[in-house]
Amino acid sequence: MNITLSVFMALPEGERIRNKPLTLKKGSTVANAVDLFHISDEWVWMYVLNHRQVVQRKDVLSEGDHLMVFPPMEGG
Amino acid sequence: MMYGSNGKLLRINLSNGNITTETLPQAFYRKYFGGRGMIAAILLKELAPGIDPLGPENKLVFATGILSGNPIPGTGRHSIGAKSPITGGYGDGEAGGFWGTELKRAGFDLVIVEGKSEVPVYIAIKDGEATIKNAEHLWGKHTGEVQQLLQRDEGKVRVAQIGPAGENLVKYACVVHDLEHFVGRSGIGAVMGSKNLRAVTVAGSKSPQLHDSEAVKELTRYMGQHYQTLASNIYENGTLMVLPALNAAGGLPTRNFQEGQFEEAEKFFPQTVREAYMTSRAGCYACPIRCGMNVKGGGPFDVDPQYKGPEYETVASFGSNLGVSDMEVIQKANELCNAYGLDTIATGICLSFVTEAFEKGLIGTKETHGKTLAFGDPGFLEVITDIAHRKDLGAVLAEGTRSAAEVWGNNTLPLAMQVKGQEMPLHEARLKQGLGLGYAMSPTGADHTHNLHDTLYIKETPAFKDLQALGYQEELLSPTTLDEKKVRLYHYGSFSRYLADCLVTCFFVPWNVSQLQQLIQGVTGWNTTTAEMMAVSERSIVNARRFNLREGLSQEDDVLCPRFHQPFESGPLKGTAIDEDAFFQSRNTYYQLMGWDEEGVPTKGSLARLGLMEEE
């Protein structure tokens, strides 16, 4: 199963994940995707699928999904 | 000896042409730090109660801060304040860029402009000297042309100017700095126009002396090495960083705040916009983050790139909140506002207000002077020009939404997204309910900058840890709650923002409280504490409050527009609203927490605690 991952923050070592293609086993969850990069839930405000659906770590991903990870943030 | 500042105030009277320099005591700097702290104290002391905001008795105060003028990231800002023609109370706004730094290097920390010139003028400040010069040749011209003319005539200078909107006293006219940084809120551009003051140019060549330049350099080096990680989102995406998240959460203002999710929001996602339009980064003095955008220009609307790219507020204001999905239209709206000198927030909110009123049949073509308005229709671009020139529909909208609703009646007032007359920034209070309390409590009306953004404090972020350093020791809270705990979070969160406004620093540069203390010590030599910083912040809130109370504002003005008390009918926040009883209870709790009486008046005890009794 192929998905795309975007993380709107730098990881602790400075790594950035933007529109990164990922291949996961069928039935993989949000947690399975973000755990590959050791993204702690403590840094996250929302996991969002396909730009507008807020999901939880336990939710199952589908082929072609775009998973976005947003940190807590303020005003622009 | 005073380190880090010049200790000098430049006073210019445009009625009689007098120009004087005054020396300020170090105690004044330590008590207020700068920016809104100093502006509130000065306006409270120097303005007579009840004056006309657009009369010669009003004063413009340009203020830097104790850290300004030095190559420290986040300090290239300045504030301008006056009695606001929008709210009738305390008004101010801040801009980034280079103007404030240049003023400090020209030998002044503050400038007060008073009176009114008989003819259009501009003020040229250069290395300790100021001159009033004729500006009749500049009057009526777009800001881009005036910028070029002033740089031709004055050399390498930084320019703060109004545009035609300020000349025409549009209530929400802004002050444009070098065409890309704006004091947008509170109608400061209209006050400048009322004085026949088109521009203030500055040029300076001498930085203030630092107490410990090595300590300051070390901190600056640290930020230079770590900003890409500490401020990764704003660095990569600019202020548009918030748009995808707000849309997903259901808090992206859409069609005059009727909805919270825009069906074509993807077109405004930061990477999409940056890849399509950005040519290079734009930024402020000494800041490596450079969150702004230089853009290509051109396109179907022949966008002029000298006015730069739009920020989040502008994209949401002319995009989702007007139902517009075409980035070219938004860029044109941005260009027009910057060329005319209009606040993009207030202009967009006026347009979304009139569009909703028209679509709902509360007004007709008689009120719109024959214009047919619809969400998603780029025809609103013509109305921007009419607002700047006070023509037809633009003449009514130039006074703001509250005033227009009073003119039109027919139950249009509930559609006016404003607090105290100041139009709403593009941040949804039903998603961030502490921010909603902040809109009501802000001395300048609806304002998102010195406010709490609840969504920043839902995890133990560095910002949350900063509040802990200031004294906040509660648990993490949901953004969609409003209760006593949230009031306490708002109290500390807003204190940290008012502190930044007194230091005139940018909150996108992630200095923590400890680093700010070290910077203050390195620049000034003061051994400051968090208690002192909190007191400075609180003085700025209390003095602005006292100013407003003196001008007749009251508890009755500490309210929200009714839409925020109505639940969303669809989207992720369907059914969510700010409960009215919870809001008023929270307001009372905030008064008590601040040491104010039940009507929101600071008590003598709270004034004494802050050392403000002598200014009674």
Coordinates of all heavy atoms in Angstrom, one line a residue, chain B residues 206-257:
Chain B
K206 N 24.4 54.7 13.5 CA 25.1 54.3 14.7 C 24.2 53.4 15.6 O 23.2 53.9 16.1 CB 25.5 55.6 15.4 CG 26.4 55.4 16.6 CD 26.8 56.7 17.3 CE 27.6 56.4 18.5 NZ 27.8 57.7 19.3
S207 N 24.7 52.2 15.8 CA 24.0 51.3 16.7 C 24.2 51.7 18.2 O 25.3 52.2 18.5 CB 24.4 49.9 16.5 OG 24.0 49.4 15.3
P208 N 23.2 51.5 19.0 CA 23.4 51.8 20.5 C 24.5 51.0 21.1 O 24.8 49.9 20.6 CB 22.1 51.5 21.1 CG 21.1 51.4 20.0 CD 21.9 51.0 18.8
Q209 N 25.2 51.5 22.1 CA 26.2 50.7 22.8 C 25.6 49.6 23.7 O 24.7 49.9 24.4 CB 27.1 51.7 23.6 CG 28.3 51.0 24.1 CD 29.2 52.0 24.9 OE1 29.1 53.2 24.8 NE2 30.2 51.4 25.6
L210 N 26.2 48.4 23.6 CA 25.7 47.3 24.4 C 26.4 47.2 25.7 O 27.6 47.5 25.7 CB 25.7 46.0 23.6 CG 25.0 46.0 22.2 CD1 25.2 44.6 21.6 CD2 23.6 46.3 22.4
H211 N 25.8 46.7 26.7 CA 26.5 46.4 28.0 C 27.4 45.3 27.9 O 28.6 45.3 28.3 CB 25.4 46.1 29.1 CG 26.0 45.7 30.4 ND1 26.1 44.4 30.8 CD2 26.6 46.4 31.4 CE1 26.7 44.4 32.0 NE2 27.0 45.6 32.3
D212 N 27.0 44.2 27.2 CA 27.8 43.0 27.1 C 27.6 42.4 25.7 O 26.8 41.5 25.4 CB 27.4 42.0 28.1 CG 28.3 40.8 28.1 OD1 29.1 40.6 27.2 OD2 28.2 40.0 29.1
S213 N 28.4 43.0 24.7 CA 28.2 42.6 23.3 C 28.5 41.1 23.1 O 27.9 40.5 22.2 CB 29.0 43.5 22.4 OG 30.3 43.4 22.7
E214 N 29.4 40.6 23.8 CA 29.8 39.2 23.6 C 28.6 38.2 24.0 O 28.3 37.3 23.3 CB 31.0 38.8 24.4 CG 32.3 39.1 23.7 CD 32.4 38.6 22.3 OE1 32.2 37.4 22.0 OE2 32.7 39.4 21.4
A215 N 28.0 38.6 25.1 CA 26.8 37.8 25.5 C 25.7 37.8 24.5 O 25.1 36.8 24.1 CB 26.3 38.2 26.9
V216 N 25.5 39.0 23.9 CA 24.4 39.2 22.9 C 24.8 38.4 21.6 O 24.0 37.7 21.0 CB 24.2 40.7 22.6 CG1 23.3 40.9 21.4 CG2 23.7 41.4 23.8
K217 N 26.1 38.5 21.3 CA 26.5 37.8 20.1 C 26.4 36.3 20.2 O 26.0 35.6 19.3 CB 28.0 38.1 19.8 CG 28.2 39.3 19.0 CD 29.7 39.5 18.7 CE 30.0 41.0 18.2 NZ 31.4 41.3 18.2
E218 N 26.7 35.8 21.4 CA 26.5 34.3 21.7 C 25.1 33.9 21.5 O 24.8 32.8 20.9 CB 27.1 34.0 23.1 CG 27.2 32.5 23.3 CD 27.9 32.2 24.6 OE1 28.8 33.0 25.1 OE2 27.5 31.1 25.2
L219 N 24.2 34.6 22.1 CA 22.8 34.3 22.0 C 22.3 34.3 20.5 O 21.6 33.5 20.0 CB 21.9 35.2 22.8 CG 22.0 35.0 24.3 CD1 21.6 36.2 25.1 CD2 21.1 33.8 24.7
T220 N 22.8 35.4 19.8 CA 22.4 35.5 18.4 C 22.9 34.4 17.6 O 22.3 33.9 16.7 CB 22.9 36.9 17.9 OG1 22.3 37.9 18.7 CG2 22.5 37.1 16.4
R221 N 24.2 34.0 17.9 CA 24.8 32.8 17.2 C 23.9 31.6 17.4 O 23.7 30.8 16.5 CB 26.2 32.6 17.7 CG 27.3 33.2 16.8 CD 28.7 32.6 17.1 NE 29.1 32.8 18.5 CZ 29.7 33.9 18.9 NH1 30.1 34.9 18.1 NH2 30.1 34.0 20.2
Y222 N 23.5 31.4 18.7 CA 22.7 30.2 19.0 C 21.4 30.2 18.1 O 21.1 29.2 17.5 CB 22.3 30.3 20.5 CG 21.3 29.2 20.8 CD1 21.7 27.9 21.2 CD2 19.9 29.5 20.8 CE1 20.8 26.9 21.4 CE2 19.0 28.5 21.1 CZ 19.4 27.2 21.4 OH 18.5 26.2 21.7
M223 N 20.7 31.3 18.0 CA 19.5 31.4 17.2 C 19.8 31.1 15.7 O 19.1 30.4 15.0 CB 18.8 32.7 17.4 CG 17.4 32.7 16.8 SD 16.3 31.4 17.3 CE 15.9 31.9 19.0
G224 N 21.0 31.7 15.3 CA 21.4 31.5 13.9 C 21.6 30.0 13.6 O 21.4 29.6 12.5
Q225 N 22.1 29.3 14.6 CA 22.4 27.9 14.4 C 21.2 26.9 14.5 O 21.2 25.8 14.0 CB 23.5 27.4 15.4 CG 24.8 28.0 15.1 CD 25.8 27.9 16.3 OE1 25.4 27.4 17.3 NE2 27.0 28.3 16.0
H226 N 20.1 27.4 15.2 CA 19.0 26.5 15.6 C 17.7 26.9 15.0 O 16.7 26.2 15.2 CB 18.9 26.4 17.1 CG 20.1 25.7 17.7 ND1 21.2 26.4 18.2 CD2 20.4 24.4 17.9 CE1 22.1 25.5 18.6 NE2 21.6 24.3 18.5
Y227 N 17.6 28.0 14.3 CA 16.2 28.5 14.0 C 15.5 27.5 13.0 O 14.3 27.4 13.0 CB 16.3 29.9 13.3 CG 16.9 30.0 11.9 CD1 16.2 29.9 10.8 CD2 18.3 30.1 11.8 CE1 16.7 29.9 9.5 CE2 18.9 30.1 10.5 CZ 18.1 30.0 9.4 OH 18.6 30.0 8.2
Q228 N 16.3 26.8 12.2 CA 15.6 26.0 11.2 C 14.9 24.8 11.9 O 14.0 24.2 11.3 CB 16.6 25.4 10.2 CG 17.1 26.6 9.2 CD 17.9 26.0 8.1 OE1 17.7 24.9 7.6 NE2 18.8 26.8 7.6
T229 N 15.4 24.4 13.1 CA 14.7 23.4 13.8 C 13.7 24.0 14.8 O 12.5 23.6 14.8 CB 15.7 22.6 14.7 OG1 16.7 22.0 13.7 CG2 15.0 21.5 15.4
L230 N 14.1 25.0 15.5 CA 13.2 25.6 16.5 C 12.0 26.3 15.9 O 10.9 26.3 16.5 CB 14.0 26.7 17.4 CG 15.1 26.1 18.2 CD1 15.9 27.3 18.9 CD2 14.5 25.2 19.3
A231 N 12.2 26.9 14.7 CA 11.1 27.6 14.0 C 10.9 26.9 12.7 O 10.7 27.6 11.7 CB 11.4 29.0 13.9
S232 N 10.9 25.6 12.6 CA 10.9 24.9 11.3 C 9.6 25.2 10.5 O 9.7 25.4 9.3 CB 11.0 23.4 11.5 OG 9.9 22.9 12.3
N233 N 8.5 25.3 11.1 CA 7.3 25.4 10.3 C 7.2 26.8 9.7 O 6.9 27.0 8.5 CB 6.0 25.2 11.2 CG 4.8 24.7 10.5 OD1 4.8 24.6 9.2 ND2 3.7 24.4 11.2
I234 N 7.4 27.9 10.5 CA 7.4 29.2 9.9 C 8.5 29.4 8.9 O 8.3 30.1 7.9 CB 7.4 30.3 11.0 CG1 7.2 31.7 10.5 CG2 8.7 30.3 11.8 CD1 5.8 32.1 10.2
Y235 N 9.6 28.8 9.2 CA 10.8 28.9 8.2 C 10.4 28.3 6.9 O 10.7 28.9 5.8 CB 12.0 28.2 8.8 CG 13.1 28.1 7.8 CD1 13.8 29.2 7.4 CD2 13.5 26.8 7.4 CE1 14.9 29.1 6.4 CE2 14.5 26.7 6.4 CZ 15.2 27.8 6.0 OH 16.2 27.7 5.1
E236 N 9.8 27.1 6.9 CA 9.5 26.4 5.7 C 8.3 27.0 4.9 O 8.2 27.0 3.7 CB 9.3 24.9 5.9 CG 10.5 24.1 6.0 CD 10.2 22.6 5.9 OE1 9.3 22.3 5.1 OE2 11.0 21.9 6.5
N237 N 7.3 27.4 5.7 CA 6.0 27.7 5.1 C 5.5 29.2 5.3 O 4.5 29.5 4.7 CB 5.0 26.8 5.8 CG 5.3 25.4 5.5 OD1 5.5 24.9 4.4 ND2 5.3 24.6 6.6
G238 N 6.3 30.0 6.0 CA 5.8 31.3 6.3 C 4.5 31.3 7.1 O 4.1 30.2 7.7
T239 N 3.8 32.4 7.1 CA 2.6 32.4 8.0 C 1.5 31.5 7.5 O 0.5 31.2 8.2 CB 2.1 33.9 8.2 OG1 1.9 34.5 6.9 CG2 3.1 34.7 9.0
L240 N 1.6 31.2 6.2 CA 0.5 30.2 5.7 C 0.6 28.9 6.3 O -0.2 28.0 6.1 CB 0.7 30.1 4.1 CG 0.1 31.2 3.3 CD1 0.4 30.9 1.8 CD2 -1.4 31.2 3.4
M241 N 1.6 28.6 7.2 CA 1.8 27.3 7.9 C 0.5 26.9 8.6 O 0.2 25.8 8.7 CB 2.9 27.4 8.9 CG 2.6 28.4 10.0 SD 3.9 28.5 11.2 CE 3.3 29.7 12.3
V242 N -0.3 27.9 9.0 CA -1.5 27.6 9.9 C -2.6 27.2 9.0 O -3.6 26.5 9.5 CB -1.9 28.8 10.8 CG1 -0.8 29.2 11.7 CG2 -2.3 30.0 9.9
L243 N -2.7 27.5 7.8 CA -3.9 27.4 7.0 C -4.4 25.9 6.8 O -5.5 25.6 7.1 CB -3.7 28.0 5.6 CG -5.0 28.3 4.9 CD1 -5.0 29.6 4.1 CD2 -5.3 27.1 3.9
P244 N -3.5 25.0 6.5 CA -4.0 23.6 6.3 C -4.5 23.0 7.7 O -5.5 22.3 7.7 CB -2.7 22.8 5.9 CG -1.8 23.8 5.3 CD -2.1 25.1 6.1
A245 N -3.8 23.4 8.8 CA -4.3 22.8 10.1 C -5.6 23.5 10.5 O -6.5 22.8 10.9 CB -3.2 23.1 11.1
L246 N -5.7 24.8 10.3 CA -7.0 25.4 10.7 C -8.2 24.8 9.8 O -9.3 24.6 10.3 CB -6.9 26.9 10.5 CG -6.0 27.7 11.5 CD1 -6.0 29.2 11.1 CD2 -6.4 27.4 12.9
N247 N -7.9 24.6 8.6 CA -8.9 24.1 7.7 C -9.4 22.7 8.1 O -10.5 22.4 8.2 CB -8.5 24.1 6.2 CG -9.6 23.8 5.3 OD1 -10.6 24.5 5.3 ND2 -9.4 22.7 4.4
A248 N -8.4 21.9 8.5 CA -8.7 20.5 8.9 C -9.4 20.5 10.2 O -10.4 19.7 10.4 CB -7.4 19.7 9.0
A249 N -9.1 21.4 11.1 CA -9.7 21.5 12.4 C -11.1 22.1 12.4 O -11.9 22.1 13.3 CB -8.8 22.3 13.4
G250 N -11.4 22.7 11.2 CA -12.8 23.4 11.1 C -12.7 24.8 11.6 O -13.8 25.4 11.8
G251 N -11.6 25.4 11.6 CA -11.5 26.8 12.1 C -10.9 27.7 11.1 O -10.3 28.8 11.5
L252 N -11.0 27.5 9.8 CA -10.6 28.4 8.8 C -11.8 29.3 8.4 O -12.8 28.8 7.8 CB -10.1 27.7 7.5 CG -9.6 28.6 6.4 CD1 -8.4 29.4 6.8 CD2 -9.3 27.8 5.1
P253 N -11.7 30.6 8.7 CA -12.9 31.4 8.5 C -13.3 31.4 7.0 O -12.5 31.6 6.1 CB -12.4 32.8 8.9 CG -11.4 32.5 9.9 CD -10.7 31.3 9.4
T254 N -14.6 31.1 6.8 CA -15.1 30.8 5.4 C -16.4 31.5 5.3 O -17.3 31.4 6.1 CB -15.2 29.3 5.2 OG1 -13.9 28.7 5.3 CG2 -15.7 29.0 3.8
R255 N -16.5 32.3 4.2 CA -17.7 33.1 3.9 C -18.2 33.9 5.1 O -19.3 33.6 5.6 CB -18.8 32.2 3.3 CG -18.4 31.5 2.0 CD -19.4 30.6 1.4 NE -18.9 29.8 0.3 CZ -18.2 28.7 0.4 NH1 -18.0 28.1 1.6 NH2 -17.7 28.1 -0.7
N256 N -17.4 34.8 5.5 CA -17.7 35.7 6.7 C -18.0 34.9 7.9 O -18.9 35.1 8.7 CB -18.9 36.6 6.4 CG -19.0 37.8 7.3 OD1 -17.9 38.3 7.7 ND2 -20.2 38.2 7.6
F257 N -17.1 33.9 8.2 CA -17.2 33.1 9.4 C -18.5 32.3 9.5 O -18.8 31.8 10.6 CB -17.0 34.0 10.7 CG -15.6 34.5 10.9 CD1 -15.2 35.6 10.2 CD2 -14.8 33.9 11.8 CE1 -13.9 36.1 10.5 CE2 -13.5 34.4 12.1 CZ -13.1 35.5 11.4

